[in-house]
């Protein structure tokens, strides 16, 4: 097989990292983009881990067509049943079950010996096969596990029905040359290894996740697990865009392909950044702001003469937009719709398009030019928030200066009613947030606040990202406006709405599970 299976775990391993949590709508939007990107498998979540995860795996299984939809499950019946139930509506589904195999994990985390772990793994794979023919088994912390035990467990789970065997470098400990030897050892010692697809899942603690993934495919591994922008636990997972572009750019070396439509890479990376509010470092390979920028005169000269002097990839290969100036205040609905479709947002309902157009006109009135990034912000604001907006900002008045106590008066609409309250604060933003808290009656703790200019010039749109904790749960909210206090208020209200939405969903799922168990018993 000369094609590498791209298994995307942005929505599972990526999303579980602090600061990357997403709402159901955000996950669905990203999953749809991952399908457009052409990933083979979407690991949509860990169904048993929370009601929120269960419902997002289920929703993605219902709505996203094309890739295999996968849920993670520990090696126990309850987890596997939850995964199977969440995956029921999927056209093609995979259950991914795992158990740790290293001495340190077995002794301190699982408190189990090798025999127990082996028995659990076999049982889990057999049980998962009752729900689907596509079962992946992972030996967590494989790179710190006893190799002979690893070979034994792999041989037995293949006999039990596993179809993909994954070798995770869970703590990012492997060194490429050593990883290669370990994989070769497994290939040579596990007699039935040719019956399955061999996979790797590398973490980036030593900055080697992509290098380890690439060495693995050189020795016969045919699935790599990775995430967009390399997000994930601690230093992250192997970056999808780096693996894919290495395989494409060095086809002469790897002699392999992927199903990825590389022209969707940049858009997917941007979408994830916009959703999470976490932007990639400028010098990040492939998708960083500077990845295709040539500063040095001597480089610029070379590139102008022949791009290949300093460019090993073309910006258009990853879908990097070349025209940034797009629309202005005289542009109509039709032109706006066309541009939005070019940005990848197709099939937008008319009602949402009306709202986008309304917001676009407001921005266009304040600015001379409306850029793609402005549109991105508007579209996401409308598309992601339509079903979950409990509170909406009606008006905001702020008094601030270096000789007065900053104060804010806020009006929020909830349903047909508008509520107003005021507060003073340490600054205009603090006063605004406090006034919002007084209206909603929910006190949030601000964990982080970031602001960036989305576009250029003095009239740029400011995008504010806040991380706020409500009742022990953290939510990321975003707001954009040419007025940064308004953007801050919108971002804060966004977190309040997400919190209220999550509470409602959790309640519904709880009621549903209670009803289900009453029916079953
Ligand atoms: O890093 C890891 O070991 C994992 C497994 C669950 C595959 O994420
Ligand atoms: Zn992992």
């Amino acid at each position: 097989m000369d094609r590498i299976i791209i298994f995307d775990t942005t929505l599972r391993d990526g999303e579980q990292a602090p600061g990357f949590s997403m709402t159901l709508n955000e996950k669905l939007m990203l999953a749809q983009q991952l399908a457009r990107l052409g990933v083979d498998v979407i690991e949509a979540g860990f169904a048993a881990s929370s009601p929120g995860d269960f419902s997002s795996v289920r929703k993605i299984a219902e709505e996203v067509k094309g890739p295999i939809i996968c849920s993670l499950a520990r090696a126990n019946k309850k987890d596997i049943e939850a995964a199977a139930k969440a995956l029921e509506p999927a056209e093609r589904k995979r259950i991914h079950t795992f158990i740790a195999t290293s001495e340190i994990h077995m002794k301190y985390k699982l408190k189990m010996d090798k025999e127990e772990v082996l028995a659990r793994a076999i049982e889990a794979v057999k049980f998962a096969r009752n729900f689907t023919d596509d079962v992946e088994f992972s030996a967590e912390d494989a790179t710190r596990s006893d190799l002979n035990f690893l070979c034994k467990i792999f041989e037995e789970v293949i006999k039990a029905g596993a179809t993909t065997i994954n070798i995770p470098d869970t703590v990012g400990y492997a060194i490429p040359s050593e990883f290669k030897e370990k994989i070769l050892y497994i290939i040579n010692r596990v007699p039935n290894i040719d019956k399955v697809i061999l996979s790797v899942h590398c973490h980036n603690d030593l900055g080697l996740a992509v290098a380890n993934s690439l060495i693995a495919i050189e020795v016969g591994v045919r699935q790599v697990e990775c995430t967009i922008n390399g997000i994930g636990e601690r230093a992250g997972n192997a970056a999808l865009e780096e693996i894919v572009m290495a395989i494409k750019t060095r086809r002469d070396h790897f002699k392999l392909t992927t199903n990825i439509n590389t022209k969707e890479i940049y858009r997917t990376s941007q979408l994830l950044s916009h959703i999470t509010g976490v932007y990639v470092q400028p010098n990040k390979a492939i998708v960083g702001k500077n990845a295709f920028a040539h500063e040095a005169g001597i480089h610029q000269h070379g590139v102008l003469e022949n791009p290949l002097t300093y460019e090993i990839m073309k910006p258009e290969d990853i879908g990097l937009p070349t025209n940034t100036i797009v629309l202005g205040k005289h542009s109509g609905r039709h032109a706006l719709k066309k541009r939005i479709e070019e940005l990848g947002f197709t099939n937008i309902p008319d009602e949402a398009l009306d709202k986008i157009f309304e917001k676009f006109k407001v921005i266009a009135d304040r600015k001379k030019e409306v850029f793609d990034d402005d549109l991105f912000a508007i579209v996401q604001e409308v598309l992601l928030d339509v079903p979950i907006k409990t509170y909406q900002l009606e008006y905001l008045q702020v008094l601030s200066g270096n000789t007065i106590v900053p104060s804010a008066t806020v009006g929020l609409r909830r349903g047909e009613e508008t509520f107003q309250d005021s507060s003073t604060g340490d600054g205009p933003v603090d006063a605004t947030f406090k006034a919002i808290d007084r209206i909603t009656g929910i006190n949030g703790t601000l964990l982080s606040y970031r602001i960036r200019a989305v576009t250029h010039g003095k009239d740029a749109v400011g995008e504010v990202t806040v991380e706020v904790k409500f009742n022990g749960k953290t939510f990321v909210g975003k707001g954009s406006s040419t007025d940064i206090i308004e953007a801050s208020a919108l971002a804060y209200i966004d977190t309040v709405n997400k919190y209220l939405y999550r509470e409602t969903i959790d309640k519904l799922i709880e009621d549903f599970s209670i009803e289900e168990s009453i029916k079953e018993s």
Side-chain angles (χ1 to χ4, degrees), residues 38-143:
V39 307
D40 300 285
V41 186
I42 295 177
E43 189 163 51
F46 183 172
S49 69
S50 71
D53 250 48
F54 179 91
S55 49
S56 46
V57 175
R58 178 112 189 158
K59 187 84 183 152
I60 291 168
E62 265 163 21
E63 307 238 340
V64 179
K65 306 291 168 221
I68 294 168
I69 310 298
C70 169
S71 171
L72 187 67
R74 282 165 299 193
N76 66 58
K77 286 194 170 170
K78 253 181 119 193
D79 271 32
I80 294 169
E81 271 165 354
K85 189 142 190 63
L87 290 169
E88 250 165 24
E91 266 174 1
R92 297 195 297 154
K93 55 184 110 144
R94 173 179 299 183
I95 295 177
H96 176 191
T97 186
F98 75 101
I99 192 161
T101 50
S102 64
E103 286 295 342
I104 187 163
H105 277 229
M106 290 191 292
K107 183 166 173 196
Y108 294 102
K109 191 180 80 172
L110 298 177
K111 302 191 180 4
M112 287 164 98
D113 61 23
K114 281 182 175 164
E115 283 64 40
E116 285 169 295
V117 167
L118 178 64
R120 272 281 204 96
I122 296 171
E123 210 183 310
V125 169
K126 280 191 180 152
F127 187 61
R129 280 295 302 251
N130 292 324
F131 304 99
T132 170
D133 292 344
D134 189 344
V135 174
E136 174 168 335
F137 172 77
S138 282
E140 192 189 8
D141 206 15
T143 49

Side-chain angles (χ1 to χ4, degrees), residues 270 273-274 276-281 450 452 463 465 478:
Q270 286 286 299
S273 294
H274 277 91
T276 57
V278 183
Y279 298 92
V280 294
Q281 83 223 41
R450 283 190 301 272
R452 64 169 201 136
E463 185 181 81
T465 307
K478 279 159 24 79

Side-chain angles (χ1 to χ4, degrees), residues 7 9 12-13 16 43 46 72-73 96-99 105 136-142 166-172 201-203 225 233-234 237:
F7 175 114
T9 183
R12 200 277 299 169
D13 220 344
Q16 78 190 36
E43 189 163 51
F46 183 172
L72 187 67
H96 176 191
T97 186
F98 75 101
I99 192 161
H105 277 229
E136 174 168 335
F137 172 77
S138 282
E140 192 189 8
D141 206 15
N166 186 34
I167 310 172
D169 183 23
T170 304
V171 289
H201 172 112
C202 299
H203 279 267
E225 302 196 353
E233 286 280 3
R234 306 179 307 279
N237 288 58

